[in-house]
Amino acid sequence: MRTDSSPGNLPAREHLPATAAGTPVLDVVIPVYNEEKDLQPCVLRLHEHLQRTFPYAFRITVADNASTDSTPRVAARLAARLPEVVSRRLEQKGRGRALRTVWSASDAPVLAYMDVDLSTDLNALLPLVAPLISGHSDLAIGSRLARSSRVVRGAKREFISRSYNLILRGSLQARFSDAQCGFKAIRRDVAQVLLPLVEDSGWFFDTEMLVLAERAGLRIHEVPVDWVDDPDSTVHIVRTATDDLKGVWRVGRALATGSLSLDRLARPFGDDPRDRELTDVPKGLARQLVGFCVVGGLSTLFYLLLYSGFRSFSGSQVANALALLVSAVANTAANRRLTFGVRGRGGAVRHQAQGLVVFGIGLALTSGSLAALNTATSDPAHSAELAVLIAANLAATVLRFLLFRAWVFPDRRDEPAASTSGSTPASVSVSVSPAVSAPAPTPTRGSVPAAVATSGSAAVSASVSASAPVGASQQPGPYAAHAVDHPDRDHHDHPDRDHHGHSDHPDRDHHGHSDYHGHSDHHGHSDHHDPRNAR
């Protein structure tokens, strides 16, 4: 079992201490815009519920998004009346901007938000934040689309909500069930590193945050909620949907080009039991075999179509060579991206050159089979040629996989750490506080350390330098600002990762950070999915 324990940019999750004094454990943010009628009953109801049911100290922060009515005065009166209520005024609109501003400045270790209409039943609040307090999860969301959720709303909103989440699943491969439910929570240490990567400041803020967290391997807990639609909602559905689709395109493009430095969200090695190395178990072999077989099957069909087309105007050897050449280029590109998880342009030419060598071996094998067939019979039928080529291609496929795995896309986890770690670039410097030292060889999460402060500052041991400040909403283009090039891979892929960027081995990346991202199950959920599924 591997014994080194190089920390990533996030500390190991730990259970927060059970105390009601000092800094609040939970900070609930309520973004509002012109909500003078609903604000006071909402805050009073939430405050009474937390006082009655929540066992920790809490704070309610009203984030006023440049309201033009008497909302600021109502918020100020509530703050003067209730010591647990704070009012913050922002001069610009945008739910994402409000959450980023308040969360970045909050000292509470668990941050949450909910809509002012309180459409979500408050009995789901404690189940929402409990996995974050216990150290089990990184983020938590309420879901109106879970099977056990009970939702009352019109057919129009139901259709729009389900259609939007289907778009996220199809385009961004999202596995969480409900992106836009106004009922979410996040650990402060995660928010400090994740929020600078989130570019949107409006309604798409939630979706972008969840997609990036899921791609980075953070654990997202889902809570089925009881939810009653607010008929007086001021949300502009068409404009919001248009902005969301633009955000989907932007985030999808950033993920496809590998311009996101999601390695900054790595957890220390040992925070996930799947990182434990087992003897005589090849890392990633099963997943790579499945991916290679799928790509190989499609490549074979593509090859046969090309061969049949080329055979109509050329001899069998020429048709075979041309079809194999074209399909080999496509096969190498597909396996590079899907089977072995390599993204970006770095090393693509070298990989294709090595793939052509493998193609040459396959060409010799298939051409030799055709030559043997022509020797056996002077005028073989076209069906006989296809049968021989299928058998020869199957043999060439097995050989191609072995060469791809051992030579073209080798597993580099056995290389010495000194040759891969390198120095940390000045643009992304990380300091790990003494409060969370390098973990033991096989640390476990969930223990309650006696020295953890109520403020949660000890749990937040990763700090990003001035080049990536917390709450860097003013910095243009955070995708480009935090991206660091790598010759072969983007920041959340690894030779042993699947196409979602999930780790089969705790290798280090080129920064010297742990390449482990703290994955849970395939969906990033902790309550209704097998945690051993590939992410």
Side-chain angles (χ1 to χ4, degrees):
M1 181 178 294
R2 180 174 172 173
T3 57
D4 64 306
S5 54
S6 302
N9 292 44
L10 289 176
R13 292 186 292 261
E14 294 178 331
H15 197 304
L16 299 176
T19 175
T23 303
V25 170
L26 174 65
D27 191 350
V28 182
V29 181
I30 304 177
V32 292
Y33 174 73
N34 291 346
E35 298 286 355
E36 58 183 2
K37 294 182 179 179
D38 294 336
L39 179 57
Q40 179 166 322
C42 161
V43 172
L44 293 178
R45 179 182 165 195
L46 175 60
H47 183 269
E48 186 276 332
H49 177 83
L50 289 173
Q51 275 194 326
R52 178 169 48 87
T53 65
F54 196 67
Y56 295 87
F58 64 88
R59 177 192 300 130
I60 300 173
T61 302
V62 179
D64 177 24
N65 284 130
S67 295
T68 57
D69 61 1
S70 62
T71 297
R73 293 190 294 274
V74 175
R77 287 198 302 266
L78 289 169
R81 173 181 173 184
L82 303 173
E84 293 86 2
V85 176
V86 176
S87 177
R88 291 287 303 273
R89 168 76 176 181
L90 288 82
E91 298 303 329
Q92 291 178 294
K93 294 176 62 177
R95 181 175 70 174
R97 179 178 288 108
L99 294 178
R100 186 200 314 275
T101 302
V102 177
W103 281 355
S104 298
S106 179
D107 56 355
V110 176
L111 311 169
Y113 95 89
M114 61 181 62
D115 293 335
V116 68
D117 55 15
L118 295 186
S119 295
T120 305
D121 184 68
L122 292 179
N123 287 329
L125 181 56
L126 185 55
L128 182 80
V129 300
L132 309 187
I133 294 174
S134 69
H136 177 271
S137 301
D138 299 293
L139 297 92
I141 64 174
S143 175
R144 299 163 296 184
L145 302 181
R147 289 188 176 183
S148 56
S149 299
R150 295 177 292 188
V151 177
V152 178
R153 61 177 168 179
K156 179 181 178 181
R157 286 184 176 270
E158 182 76 10
F159 174 77
I160 293 175
S161 179
R162 291 188 178 274
S163 298
Y164 178 65
N165 283 281
L166 285 176
I167 292 174
L168 293 181
R169 288 175 177 269
S171 59
L172 300 180
Q173 298 176 333
R175 294 295 176 262
F176 45 85
S177 64
D178 192 350
Q180 289 287 32
C181 181
F183 196 68
K184 296 182 176 69
I186 185 173
R187 286 179 66 102
R188 178 173 173 261
D189 56 345
V190 176
Q192 284 187 312
V193 186
L194 180 59
L195 293 185
L197 300 179
V198 180
E199 181 175 345
D200 192 80
S201 59
W203 291 97
F204 189 69
F205 175 89
D206 302 49
T207 302
E208 185 171 1
M209 178 180 68
L210 291 176
V211 169
L212 298 186
E214 188 176 68
R215 288 300 187 96
L218 300 180
R219 177 175 287 168
I220 302 174
H221 178 76
E222 291 203 357
V223 178
V225 297
D226 296 342
W227 195 85
V228 179
D229 186 24
D230 179 13
D232 299 325
S233 175
T234 58
V235 177
H236 193 290
I237 297 178
V238 176
R239 183 170 61 240
T240 301
T242 302
D243 293 341
D244 286 345
L245 292 178
K246 291 179 181 178
V248 169
W249 168 258
R250 174 176 53 79
V251 173
R253 182 176 57 185
L255 292 173
T257 57
S259 59
L260 291 171
S261 54
L262 297 181
D263 61 318
R264 294 177 55 207
L265 300 174
R267 290 283 185 188
F269 168 72
D271 193 46
D272 192 314
R274 291 174 298 175
D275 280 335
R276 298 173 184 174
E277 191 170 309
L278 303 178
T279 59
D280 302 327
V281 178
K283 295 294 182 180
L285 179 60
R287 180 192 54 76
Q288 290 178 0
L289 275 174
V290 172
F292 186 83
C293 288
V294 172
V295 173
L298 296 176
S299 298
T300 301
L301 292 177
F302 184 50
Y303 163 80
L304 293 175
L305 291 175
L306 291 174
Y307 177 81
S308 298
F310 293 144
R311 189 68 175 85
S312 62
F313 59 84
S314 62
S316 61
Q317 294 288 3
V318 174
N320 173 62
L322 290 176
L324 197 58
L325 175 62
V326 175
S327 62
V329 172
N331 180 276
T332 301
N335 276 304
R336 180 178 185 269
R337 171 64 180 87
L338 301 177
T339 304
F340 298 96
V342 182
R343 296 185 183 179
R345 299 178 182 178
V349 175
R350 174 173 56 85
H351 293 154
Q352 284 291 351
Q354 291 173 311
L356 289 178
V357 174
V358 178
F359 150 75
I361 298 174
L363 176 63
L365 183 59
T366 53
S367 297
S369 300
L370 284 176
L373 177 63
N374 290 326
T375 300
T377 175
S378 59
D379 188 19
H382 184 63
S383 59
E385 288 182 348
L386 290 179
V388 169
L389 287 175
I390 289 174
N393 267 284
L394 288 175
T397 298
V398 175
L399 181 61
R400 186 183 301 118
F401 175 76
L402 297 177
L403 290 174
F404 273 177
R405 182 175 170 84
W407 181 47
V408 183
F409 310 107
D411 183 356
R412 303 184 185 279
R413 68 178 183 272
D414 295 326
E415 294 183 0
S419 65
T420 59
S421 60
S423 60
T424 303
S427 61
V428 183
S429 64
V430 178
S431 63
V432 181
S433 70
V436 182
S437 59
T442 56
T444 58
R445 56 176 173 267
S447 59
V448 185
V452 178
T454 307
S455 64
S457 60
V460 184
S461 64
S463 60
V464 183
S465 69
S467 63
V470 175
S473 59
Q474 304 300 323
Q475 294 183 354
Y479 292 163
H482 300 293
V484 183
D485 293 333
H486 187 283
D488 286 331
R489 307 177 189 280
D490 71 1
H491 297 286
H492 56 285
D493 280 304
H494 186 276
D496 290 330
R497 294 173 181 268
D498 62 12
H499 65 281
H500 293 303
H502 305 127
S503 174
D504 285 313
H505 185 83
D507 278 344
R508 297 166 180 263
D509 64 9
H510 63 287
H511 295 308
H513 303 155
S514 170
D515 204 23
Y516 164 62
H517 288 160
H519 294 277
S520 59
D521 62 359
H522 175 76
H523 299 271
H525 310 156
S526 60
D527 53 337
H528 60 282
H529 295 288
D530 183 358
R532 298 300 305 161
N533 290 339
R535 182 174 289 271

